[in-house]
């Protein structure tokens, strides 16, 4: 059974730091990977999707990479800001014929001024 | 605005009283899912639908029903709610990106359900 681990579980950093959030899968057979942001009491906002044919995606200060051989993904946040404070979730898709996602339990990030 | 909407956003009910949580998307997506989120367990898929009249069980379907009579709507039905169904529920829709055949999921704002 596929399980997803996100490290660290929580992170508190001063504004301006560059951050790395990690996500690993017990089964490296990940088809595609999506990173989400969740604010307290709110829904999930899609940040980046790494499609099956891709190894990384970038959007503004965010860069996500996926190493299928090891079953690991990394989300890099450059020049963090207090507005980045949220929980970050990674989720893997297992196959081309299903949109089901397997979620990690998240990294809770706090960026203080 | 492209979005997934859920109603109600908050619901407190008693054991055994049937309830329905509605979900609607305006993006013409074929795929829709329901997830529940619990502390320490993350999000887990309850049911999913690949198209109208096509539904299937996810990882935690017990105690839930769904229907997909129209493409835009995917209601979640709890026939006889129990306290262990107290959770935060999310509806999601997605479409298939070609040619990679990957799916990008869009989530609703969530419904916080408490069953006493």
């Amino acid at each position: 059974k596929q399980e997803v681990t996100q490290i660290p579980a929580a992170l508190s950093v001063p504004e301006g730091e560059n951050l790395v959030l990690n996500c690993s899968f017990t089964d490296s057979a990940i088809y595609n990977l999506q990173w989400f942001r969740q604010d307290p009491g709110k829904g999930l906002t899609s940040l980046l999707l790494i499609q099956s044919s891709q190894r990384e995606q970038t959007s503004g200060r965010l860069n996500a990479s996926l190493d299928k051989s090891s079953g690991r993904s990394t989300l890099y946040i450059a020049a963090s800001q207090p507005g980045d404070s949220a929980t970050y979730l990674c989720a893997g898709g297992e196959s081309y014929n299903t949109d089901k996602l397997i979620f990690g339990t998240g990294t809770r990030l706090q960026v203080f001024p | 605005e492209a979005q997934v909407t859920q109603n109600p956003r908050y619901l407190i009910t008693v054991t055994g009283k049937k309830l329905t949580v509605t979900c609607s998307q305006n993006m013409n997506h074929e795929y829709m899912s329901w997830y529940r989120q619990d502390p320490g367990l993350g999000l887990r898929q309850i049911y999913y639908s690949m198209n109208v009249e096509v539904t299937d069980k996810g990882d935690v379907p017990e105690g839930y029903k769904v229907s997909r009579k129209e493409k835009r709507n995917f209601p979640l039905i709890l026939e006889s709610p129990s306290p262990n169904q107290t959770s935060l529920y999310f509806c999601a829709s997605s479409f298939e990106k070609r040619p990679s055949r990957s799916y990008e999921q869009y989530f609703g704002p969530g419904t916080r359900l408490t069953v006493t």
Side-chain angles (χ1 to χ4, degrees):
Chain A
K1 179 185 173 184
Q2 178 74 276
E3 293 183 357
V4 186
T5 302
Q6 290 191 243
I7 295 173
L11 187 60
S12 183
V13 300
E15 183 176 9
E17 293 260 321
N18 298 324
L19 308 173
V20 176
L21 308 183
N22 296 291
C23 173
S24 62
F25 297 80
T26 52
D27 184 345
S28 61
I30 295 299
Y31 188 72
N32 61 295
L33 188 127
Q34 200 165 351
W35 281 93
F36 295 89
R37 167 187 174 136
Q38 185 175 24
D39 293 282
K42 301 286 180 64
L44 280 69
T45 301
S46 178
L47 297 174
L48 293 164
L49 168 68
I50 303 176
Q51 299 183 50
S52 61
S53 56
Q54 300 171 332
R55 292 189 176 182
E56 68 175 329
Q57 273 288 346
T58 297
S59 176
R61 294 182 292 108
L62 305 179
N63 174 273
S65 63
L66 174 61
D67 181 350
K68 289 190 176 184
S69 64
S70 65
R72 295 175 185 273
S73 178
T74 298
L75 178 66
Y76 178 81
I77 303 175
S80 59
Q81 302 171 358
D84 295 330
S85 298
T87 296
Y88 291 80
L89 299 165
C90 70
E94 294 184 313
S95 171
Y96 67 90
N97 62 359
T98 174
D99 71 337
K100 176 183 173 182
L101 291 174
I102 307 296
F103 279 85
T105 52
T107 293
R108 190 170 65 253
L109 172 65
Q110 183 180 11
V111 182
F112 54 90
Chain B
E1 179 188 356
Q3 59 183 346
V4 179
T5 57
Q6 296 178 227
N7 282 292
R9 294 288 316 279
Y10 303 90
L11 180 59
I12 300 174
T13 190
V14 296
T15 298
K17 186 176 182 182
K18 181 180 178 180
L19 66 92
T20 299
V21 184
T22 64
C23 172
S24 183
Q25 51 96 1
N26 62 1
M27 296 170 278
N28 202 36
H29 287 170
E30 290 186 344
Y31 300 86
M32 298 186 74
S33 296
W34 277 101
Y35 291 83
R36 61 177 288 173
Q37 184 177 33
D38 302 288
L41 296 176
L43 280 91
R44 295 173 293 167
Q45 191 183 57
I46 302 170
Y47 267 94
Y48 65 96
S49 170
M50 297 179 74
N51 214 326
V52 175
E53 302 291 2
V54 181
T55 63
D56 208 345
K57 297 177 181 178
D59 293 324
V60 287
E62 294 78 20
Y64 305 95
K65 286 175 58 178
V66 293
S67 69
R68 187 95 182 271
K69 294 186 171 62
E70 305 166 281
K71 196 173 187 178
R72 63 183 292 128
N73 296 324
F74 191 44
L76 179 69
I77 303 157
L78 284 71
E79 294 271 3
S80 183
S82 62
N84 65 11
Q85 293 178 297
T86 292
S87 187
L88 180 59
Y89 291 87
F90 289 103
C91 180
S93 72
S94 69
F95 68 101
E96 185 181 358
K97 286 180 176 281
R98 299 296 180 95
S100 68
R101 303 195 69 182
S102 298
Y103 303 90
E104 183 164 12
Q105 293 218 12
Y106 296 82
F107 280 75
T111 295
R112 185 165 293 281
L113 172 65
T114 301
V115 183
T116 61

